[in-house]
Amino acid sequence: MTDTQREKRMRNLVALVGDPVRRYLHRRTDAATADDVIGDTLLVCWRRLDEVPDDALPWAIVVARQCLSNAQRAERRRTRLIGRIIAIDPPPAVADENPAASTVDEGTAVAARVTAALAGLRRDDAEILRLWAWDELTSPQIAVVLGVSANAAAIRLHRAKARRKQELLKSGHPTGHVPYDEGSEDARR
């Protein structure tokens, strides 16, 4: 493959996977880390361009997951180092300047319930639900990302959905259904 062909193929690959991988990363980490990891991911894609399969999105997400894992490991090492430094030379305490700013609107409350439900699940269940709901991957694509068969991915997704529902019910929050209210507009239909 000539340099021009490689460049064209990479441009097409970036157009295909760039935004979905960016969204995948932004939902899993802070913006600065996501931007760093997208760069690392695209570098790996360039280096391994000849290995990219026809269905490139799941492959690129696998690469992004691995790059994100590396970045998170590095961040944990930095955090431990900062902890050691703080133990030796603690910084002065800072008072909260605006304690009344902790009001939560309805959308944030719903997001908090969903986040809490995901946190209550096993890591693998939460990840498969994120791949399905947030990244809009199909079971066969999830299978590629997780390195399992399409049938196993479909079964795991079904079970993870059931566990998520149980977590939401256990926490006393509805699972997305509007409660029946005789006075509501919906009840009159």
Side-chain angles (χ1 to χ4, degrees):
M1 184 181 313
T2 67
D3 288 345
T4 306
Q5 290 171 324
R6 282 183 61 82
E7 185 176 327
K8 183 179 179 185
R9 183 158 187 224
M10 184 65 187
R11 286 182 194 277
N12 291 338
L13 180 64
V14 170
L16 175 70
V17 304
D19 286 336
V21 169
R22 185 179 313 279
R23 286 190 306 268
Y24 170 87
L25 292 168
H26 276 275
R27 284 189 293 267
R28 285 163 176 79
T29 190
D30 62 276
T33 303
D35 289 342
D36 289 344
V37 172
I38 190 76
D40 294 342
T41 301
L42 292 176
L43 180 61
V44 170
C45 289
W46 172 254
R47 288 179 178 161
R48 297 177 60 194
L49 193 58
D50 296 333
E51 300 172 33
V52 177
D54 292 335
D55 191 10
L57 181 58
W59 184 87
I61 288 177
V62 169
V63 171
R65 280 179 77 191
Q66 292 167 344
C67 290
L68 179 59
S69 180
N70 290 341
Q72 289 170 333
R73 263 192 308 281
E75 181 59 31
R76 285 191 299 270
R77 286 191 299 269
R78 280 190 293 276
T79 301
R80 284 193 303 269
L81 177 60
I82 290 169
R84 285 187 223 130
I85 292 170
I86 289 173
I88 295 170
D89 185 20
V94 177
D96 186 8
E97 294 181 16
N98 191 1
S102 61
T103 59
V104 179
D105 67 350
E106 183 69 23
T108 305
V110 170
R113 288 194 298 266
V114 171
T115 301
L118 285 174
L121 295 174
R122 291 185 352 226
R123 185 179 58 179
D124 293 343
D125 287 342
E127 178 64 7
I128 200 167
L129 287 170
R130 287 184 192 108
L131 290 168
W132 169 74
W134 294 351
D135 300 310
E136 299 176 359
L137 296 183
T138 63
S139 290
Q141 290 174 321
I142 291 170
V144 171
V145 172
L146 299 179
V148 298
S149 70
N151 188 45
I155 291 168
R156 288 180 186 182
L157 178 60
H158 175 75
R159 290 177 180 163
K161 287 178 185 178
R163 289 183 188 110
R164 180 215 52 211
K165 182 178 179 180
Q166 290 304 314
E167 279 295 317
L168 287 169
L169 290 172
K170 188 168 56 175
S171 66
H173 299 313
T175 59
H177 299 288
V178 177
Y180 179 76
D181 178 7
E182 290 186 30
S184 74
E185 185 69 30
D186 293 332
R188 290 185 224 129
R189 291 183 194 171

